[in-house]
Amino acid sequence: MAIPHLTAGDGTSLPAIGLGTYQLNGSAGVDAIGQAIRAGYRLIDSAVNYENEGAVGRAARSAGDVRDELVVTSKLPGRHHRFDEALTTIEESVFRTGLDRIDLYLIHWPNPKVGLYVQAWRALIEARERGLVRHIGLSNFLPEHIDRLVAETGVAPLVNQIEVHPYFPQQQAIDYHRAQGILVQAWSPLGHGNDVQQHPTIVDIASAHGISPAQVILAWHLARQVIPLPKAASPQRQAENLDVFGIKLSDAEVEAITALGRPDGRLADQDPAVYEEF
């Protein structure tokens, strides 16, 4: 299955959907990720804190001829934002995957109270220059954090991975990123742990199109040019999540789903302005 791509302001493109891998670990994780690659996934998400870079790397190494099509991602944890520590951590990420390089490396959280994310960003820039990683980006950064990075380094991120789902649609953030030419990825795009897939609006749209509620939500992300990263271990769910590119929601349906947003819509109250993760 050929997955469409979205293109950033610098001309770099990424697959329009990816695979979340949180809690896909060990041999079972290798099997699930390998199956996803065979099903057509080419954007594979990971992080140091997921403790599964080895599983992701093993699945990628086993992918054969499609390895060069893969975008293997990892993320720098907050405890290693200092420049030298960040570089060493990136090296260790590469070693754990067993790959020649990691295709996309992100800073996992800004941790603004600690205030070292500019050092971390400079380390990612250095890692890219050394060929350890191909592309660099961010996760959970607010516009003010991104503006500071660009002002102090002159380097903009390719992507920012943020919480986006129907209860937390983040329209202002999406508008900001689009204006800056930064691609948006969505973690927990299906609202992990909440009841959004049972919401009458989602259920009614699913019924009208003859598709599942999850497919409705993924189609909503695609209509907004957001790259969802749904986690799925079973082949059936992986295939269902990929089978969304022929779904065309109307503007009214997209707006109705976006209108489900709530002021308290975050899944775990993780506001990047104050939340710290190490």
Side-chain angles (χ1 to χ4, degrees), residues 1 30-42 44 59 62-63 66 70 235 238 242:
M1 177 183 294
V30 174
D31 292 343
I33 297 162
Q35 168 58 41
I37 293 170
R38 291 189 293 275
Y41 287 88
R42 294 295 179 263
I44 312 297
S62 301
V66 304
L70 299 180
Q238 290 175 356
L242 275 186

Side-chain angles (χ1 to χ4, degrees), residues 197-221:
Q197 293 190 52
Q198 288 78 50
H199 193 283
T201 295
I202 302 295
V203 172
D204 288 349
I205 294 172
S207 178
H209 287 266
I211 57 179
S212 71
Q215 287 175 314
V216 169
I217 296 170
L218 294 174
W220 169 76
H221 284 288

Side-chain angles (χ1 to χ4, degrees), residues 5-277:
H5 281 56
L6 295 180
T7 303
D10 69 355
T12 302
S13 65
L14 291 179
I17 194 170
L19 179 74
T21 69
Y22 179 60
Q23 295 182 331
L24 297 182
N25 301 71
S27 297
V30 174
D31 292 343
I33 297 162
Q35 168 58 41
I37 293 170
R38 291 189 293 275
Y41 287 88
R42 294 295 179 263
L43 174 60
I44 312 297
D45 190 61
S46 181
V48 171
N49 278 350
Y50 298 173
E51 298 183 342
N52 69 352
E53 290 170 306
V56 169
R58 182 159 186 158
R61 296 196 310 273
S62 301
D65 293 342
V66 304
R67 164 61 187 116
D68 288 341
E69 300 174 17
L70 299 180
V71 181
V72 174
T73 305
S74 195
K75 307 183 194 77
L76 179 76
R79 61 187 176 276
H80 295 313
H81 275 195
R82 288 177 177 81
F83 182 86
D84 290 341
E85 290 183 26
L87 269 177
T88 300
T89 301
I90 297 167
E91 290 174 336
E92 288 288 349
S93 289
V94 175
F95 299 156
R96 278 191 292 270
T97 63
L99 302 171
D100 292 335
R101 65 173 189 279
I102 291 178
D103 303 292
L104 176 61
Y105 209 91
L106 316 178
I107 303 175
H108 206 154
W109 287 87
N111 288 13
K113 288 187 286 188
V114 175
L116 296 175
Y117 62 85
V118 175
Q119 281 194 42
W121 188 238
R122 292 189 190 280
L124 265 65
I125 295 168
E126 173 72 14
R128 185 178 64 179
E129 291 174 351
R130 288 173 47 184
L132 292 167
V133 302
R134 286 183 62 200
H135 304 293
I136 57 176
L138 307 169
S139 182
N140 299 300
F141 275 58
L142 298 174
E144 55 263 37
H145 304 144
I146 299 172
D147 290 344
R148 181 184 172 194
L149 290 182
V150 175
E152 295 196 25
T153 69
V155 177
L158 171 63
V159 65
N160 190 18
Q161 185 183 128
I162 59 177
E163 179 180 355
V164 185
H165 47 77
Y167 287 166
F168 198 63
Q170 295 248 55
Q171 187 61 55
Q172 285 186 320
I174 290 169
D175 292 342
Y176 165 86
H177 290 84
R178 185 170 294 126
Q180 302 299 318
I182 301 168
L183 296 176
V184 175
Q185 293 179 340
W187 58 262
S188 290
L190 299 176
H192 175 73
N194 65 24
D195 63 354
V196 67
Q197 293 190 52
Q198 288 78 50
H199 193 283
T201 295
I202 302 295
V203 172
D204 288 349
I205 294 172
S207 178
H209 287 266
I211 57 179
S212 71
Q215 287 175 314
V216 169
I217 296 170
L218 294 174
W220 169 76
H221 284 288
L222 299 177
R224 303 172 81 219
Q225 295 187 300
V226 171
I227 300 170
L229 302 171
K231 186 190 81 171
S234 75
Q236 294 78 15
R237 284 293 305 278
Q238 290 175 356
E240 177 185 313
N241 290 345
L242 275 186
D243 189 20
V244 292
F245 294 102
I247 301 169
K248 301 300 179 187
L249 301 180
S250 68
D251 291 345
E253 288 171 330
V254 172
E255 291 169 4
I257 297 170
T258 304
L260 300 178
R262 304 170 175 177
D264 62 347
R266 292 187 188 275
L267 293 172
D269 197 28
Q270 293 169 305
D271 182 352
V274 294
Y275 178 77
E276 307 276 303
E277 183 172 299

